[in-house]
Amino acid sequence: MTVFVLFLPKSEEDFLKFHRNIYYVSAFLGGRGLFSDAQIQEVKDANRIEDVIREYIKLKPSGSGFTGLCPFHPDKNPSLSVSVSKQIFKCFSCNTGGDVIHFISKYQNISYYEAVRFLADRAGLKIAEDNAYVSKKDEIRKKITLANREAARFFYSQLVKEEAPKKYFRGRGITAECIRKFGLGFAPNEWSALTDHLVEKGYSAEFLEQAGLSVKSSSGNAIDKFRNRVMIPIFDVNGNVIAFGGRVMDDSKPKYMNSSETDLYTKGNHLYGLNFAKRSANKQRAIMVEGYMDCIALQNRGIDYAVASLGTALTVNQAKLLKRYFDEVVLCYDSDDAGINATQRAIPILESAGLRVKVMSVPDGKDPDEYLKKHSPDEFTALAENSATAVEYRINVLERRFPSDKMDTKTRFFNGSVDVLASIEDKTTRDMYIEWFAKKYSISRDSLVFDVNRQARVLAEEKSKEEEQRMRSEMNRRSRDEQKDRSDGQNSEEGPKQTDEADKDGYKYEIEHFTGGKNLAKKLFQLEATISVLLSEDVASAQKYSKKIFDETFEFTDTRKLYNRLKKAAEGGDTDYGFGLLLDGADNDLASLLVSLEKETGLTSDIGAAVDELLKKIRIVHYDAEVAKIRQELRFAGNDEKKRAEYMQKINEILKEKRTVK
């Protein structure tokens, strides 16, 4: 355990140190200490968790909540559950969960403090930290943002003065309006024009190097990173200048130069032009190109839903960012080998983010900028609308590499196409593509179905093994963590925690050894758990039934613990009373069952009547268990008629009592 010791201040200097220590403790706690509980609650109230998560992944209604594919691990079967009433989320595969702030912190890979700030900005809230100090990293980011803004103004002012860069932009068909929209500029052919300008504005040379605007020369002096280049400011999704790209105006090398990564800028987390594209009237489709000049050219011609991947291989974070604003993406990369490979890599990344993917081919291998110099925006839009699906594209690429009209390459083309078709997980979609492929290439449909389904089984087995390995690794990790926790508990002053046999083996052991058999045990466990799920919705009902339901009501240790947890919270007036209490400490299987039950019972109007009905059903199951137990003994009675008669009499008596319950 980490212990912080804070000393009371005696002087002004000690007072400042004291406040810094307070901040560091807050930062260690994830930034939560920088805001009051009231502020955090205000942010959560203004950001409904289902609305926020829906901006990142698709959610489907399920009971009183929603389910979706978990973005925190490879997920094909929806394992993320969102509770509307509790305003929490939980994945029952990777065990990630929490409130809306935790979701944003995890999804955006930012601190708790930054997540609160992010959500406050999203809701238009103005909140101030309780502590006078903000994080050092946040301070640096703000400072770099201001320096970048000043640098962008400087580059724009230089463009106005110089004829060569203006001529370059005119030659590319970029209008004055487009120059202003994108803040395009020019870095003069001088050693330290920008550096000198920013130093005059109060920035140190060391900071400008940290911000990626200056570099150190061989003599140790700070000089400009960008010289004699047209300059393209790179914006984040909110329109802040976070970096720059520079392009030469002739054929010299390197053609492009980009900002290095800083505390503010990680190129794999941003998409060029998205700050404009997100405001497009076309909310269904984005066109993704490779470079910012192509993106500018498209937006300059009115295709305002174009974005660029900043010259890097597409990342998962970029795909997730794009999914916040669009449902479909049309890839428009170069048609050379590098562009084809980049497209093939991008397709599964985009699909895993929930995007529909299409791939367009520009005639004659031209890039979008070249094409638009000779064709209208409507013609380009038509190309985008008639783009190939991801499956069609992959098969087209195979056919170009292995022509299907030649015997020596036809087999390789066919085998590769079988792999593509087998990778389609949705069976209906796969069948449609099988029909299309068989007809297009005059291949026996039955033979194709056999080969594709066989390969699909192979892929499914491989995926299952990978998932099994991942789960095994996760279980091993948890086992090590639990072992460490037990070790820590044994070494603490409290000594080792005592556990009974039921705790060691858990409810699965109890179900396995229930006298009435496993099927009845599972039914009984579910009924007992449902009682707690229902009562978690209404504290008054829980208080009422605390006098009717006792430990003896529950057959299983875990369901007894669930109820007692609620009972204690209800009697103690716990402000955190609710369904979330049941999930605390529950393993994946139990938590998954609880969420499923919560969805099923979410529309229950009369909780009292529902609980009474459950108590009746529990009694009936106990009667059935007694009958099952006696029937087991009856098997061993053999031909002993007297003993068989005794057993049958017991069964009839139990069934008679059971009928009185109904």
Side-chain angles (χ1 to χ4, degrees), residues 25-193:
V25 172
S26 298
F28 178 81
L29 295 174
R32 188 183 182 100
L34 297 172
F35 304 102
S36 67
D37 289 342
Q39 287 174 318
I40 289 174
Q41 191 58 51
E42 182 183 11
V43 169
K44 290 199 280 190
D45 290 344
N47 292 275
R48 299 285 297 175
I49 192 167
E50 64 272 23
D51 295 333
V52 172
I53 294 181
R54 196 181 282 116
E55 292 178 4
Y56 298 89
I57 63 172
K58 284 188 176 180
L59 293 178
K60 292 183 179 179
S62 180
S64 60
F66 296 89
T67 59
L69 296 175
C70 177
F72 305 120
H73 77 282
D75 191 14
K76 295 299 181 183
N77 298 311
S79 56
L80 185 86
S81 177
V82 180
S83 171
V84 175
S85 61
K86 308 306 173 189
Q87 287 294 290
I88 59 173
F89 76 97
K90 173 86 174 179
C91 173
F92 299 107
S93 282
C94 68
N95 214 30
T96 303
D99 59 21
V100 67
I101 300 173
H102 290 103
F103 179 87
I104 287 297
S105 176
K106 177 81 173 173
Y107 191 96
Q108 299 281 11
N109 194 25
I110 56 180
S111 68
Y112 189 94
Y113 166 83
E114 291 168 318
V116 173
R117 277 284 177 211
F118 178 93
L119 290 168
D121 291 342
R122 177 185 180 275
L125 298 176
K126 299 292 184 183
I127 59 171
E129 298 88 343
D130 280 359
N131 195 292
Y133 294 91
V134 295
S135 87
K136 184 177 180 182
K137 193 169 186 179
D138 191 60
E139 191 75 45
I140 291 171
R141 286 174 174 169
K142 289 180 180 178
K143 193 173 179 181
I144 294 175
T145 302
L146 294 174
N148 283 342
R149 185 187 303 169
E150 185 60 38
R153 289 172 178 161
F154 174 82
F155 291 139
Y156 182 80
S157 70
Q158 297 301 305
L159 174 65
V160 174
K161 297 178 188 177
E162 298 285 344
E163 182 57 30
K166 285 189 285 188
K167 182 179 178 181
Y168 171 82
F169 284 131
R170 283 196 301 269
R172 298 200 65 153
I174 295 174
T175 63
E177 181 184 352
C178 187
I179 288 174
R180 286 191 296 272
K181 175 181 176 179
F182 286 94
L184 305 180
F186 175 66
N189 191 19
E190 300 175 26
W191 285 108
S192 58

Side-chain angles (χ1 to χ4, degrees), residues 430-440 445 448:
R430 188 196 304 161
D431 289 344
M432 289 171 57
Y433 275 108
I434 287 174
E435 292 282 354
W436 164 80
F437 187 90
K439 188 176 293 185
K440 181 175 181 179
R445 181 190 177 280
L448 183 61

Side-chain angles (χ1 to χ4, degrees), residues 66 100 226 290 305 327 465 641 646:
F66 296 89
V100 67
F226 301 99
E290 285 188 84
Y305 46 92
D327 294 322
K465 288 178 182 177
E641 294 298 330
E646 289 176 359

Side-chain angles (χ1 to χ4, degrees), residues 287-459:
I287 291 180
M288 182 176 288
V289 293
E290 285 188 84
Y292 35 70
M293 293 306 296
D294 284 332
C295 178
I296 292 170
L298 288 174
Q299 296 220 13
N300 185 47
R301 299 297 300 275
I303 302 168
D304 60 357
Y305 46 92
V307 298
S309 53
L310 295 170
T312 182
L314 187 76
T315 67
V316 171
N317 286 343
Q318 288 174 321
K320 290 177 179 178
L321 184 61
L322 196 63
K323 184 64 183 75
R324 289 170 57 181
Y325 305 100
F326 299 96
D327 294 322
E328 179 179 284
V329 58
V330 178
L331 291 169
C332 186
Y333 287 178
D334 290 347
S335 57
D336 58 11
D337 286 344
I340 291 172
N341 291 335
T343 300
Q344 301 255 44
R345 286 194 299 268
I347 288 171
I349 294 173
L350 293 165
E351 288 180 334
S352 68
L355 287 154
R356 295 190 304 274
V357 184
K358 299 179 83 174
V359 184
M360 69 181 290
S361 297
V362 180
D364 303 322
K366 294 183 170 134
D367 61 33
D369 189 11
E370 291 176 313
Y371 182 85
L372 284 168
K373 287 176 182 176
K374 298 180 180 179
H375 299 82
S376 69
D378 287 342
E379 289 177 287
F380 186 87
T381 301
L383 286 177
E385 289 177 349
N386 294 313
S387 298
T389 65
V391 173
E392 290 171 330
Y393 173 78
R394 292 170 66 191
I395 288 175
N396 290 340
V397 169
L398 281 169
E399 187 172 20
R400 286 199 296 273
R401 289 178 177 171
F402 311 112
S404 61
D405 58 350
K406 296 180 181 179
M407 287 305 299
D408 59 337
T409 55
K410 188 171 185 177
T411 300
R412 297 179 70 179
F413 165 69
F414 178 77
N415 290 339
S417 297
V418 166
D419 289 341
V420 172
L421 296 171
S423 68
I424 304 171
E425 294 191 353
D426 182 73
K427 190 177 184 305
T428 302
T429 305
R430 188 196 304 161
D431 289 344
M432 289 171 57
Y433 275 108
I434 287 174
E435 292 282 354
W436 164 80
F437 187 90
K439 188 176 293 185
K440 181 175 181 179
Y441 296 100
S442 302
I443 292 175
S444 165
R445 181 190 177 280
D446 292 342
S447 175
L448 183 61
V449 167
F450 177 81
D451 289 334
V452 170
N453 288 342
R454 180 179 59 186
Q455 183 62 14
R457 287 192 294 271
V458 171
L459 294 176

Side-chain angles (χ1 to χ4, degrees), residues 5 61 126-128 155 188 195 203 224 226 263 277 298 345 424 513 533-534 596 598 606 646-647:
V5 180
K126 299 292 184 183
I127 59 171
F155 291 139
T195 301
Y203 296 99
D224 293 350
F226 301 99
D263 288 324
L298 288 174
R345 286 194 299 268
I424 304 171
H513 293 80
V533 171
L534 280 170
S596 175
E598 197 260 347
D606 190 338
E646 289 176 359
Y647 284 143

Side-chain angles (χ1 to χ4, degrees), residues 479-546:
S479 178
R480 289 193 299 271
D481 290 345
E482 291 170 2
Q483 192 172 9
K484 183 178 182 301
D485 290 342
R486 286 195 295 270
S487 176
D488 290 344
Q490 290 170 351
N491 293 330
S492 69
E493 293 179 3
E494 297 176 0
K497 296 180 180 179
Q498 299 297 316
T499 58
D500 56 29
E501 283 304 312
D503 287 334
K504 289 179 182 178
D505 292 314
Y507 67 91
K508 293 177 184 177
Y509 175 87
E510 294 178 298
I511 286 175
E512 194 72 34
H513 293 80
F514 184 65
T515 55
K518 191 186 295 186
N519 290 336
L520 280 177
K522 288 180 178 178
K523 181 178 180 181
L524 181 59
F525 186 91
Q526 187 165 321
L527 290 170
E528 292 180 1
T530 305
I531 288 178
S532 294
V533 171
L534 280 170
L535 293 178
S536 73
E537 297 296 328
D538 181 37
V539 66
S541 296
Q543 292 168 341
K544 170 187 171 184
Y545 278 91
S546 66

